[in-house]
Amino acid sequence: EQLKRALAHFATVTVTSRVEGAEVSIDGGPARKLPLDKPLRLLEGKHDLVARAEGHLDAKKGLDLAGGNQMDANAMLGDTMHKLQQPY
């Protein structure tokens, strides 16, 4: 019962990217290589995700998570990561 109440304050976030070699950082923490082995479990509330990959602009997304919810962050990160243009 206590575990169930505690888990109700966490959200599950699946983060994926179509960009090979991408990494994701949550709330300024250490970068984690994508794809992740399993979804992230984050405390309800606001969080910042930053995806990075060599040769691409960073993709940044703020999340406002409700406890007990599940979210897929695939489209948000993949669609905002644009290849840097090389100078002529």
Side-chain angles (χ1 to χ4, degrees), residues 19 52-58 81-86:
V19 178
R52 293 184 173 93
E54 188 175 327
H56 291 75
L57 297 173
D58 289 357
M81 203 175 261
H82 303 287
K83 188 145 179 82
L84 290 173
Q85 293 184 357
Q86 298 298 321

Side-chain angles (χ1 to χ4, degrees), residues 6 26 72 75:
I26 298 95
D72 183 357

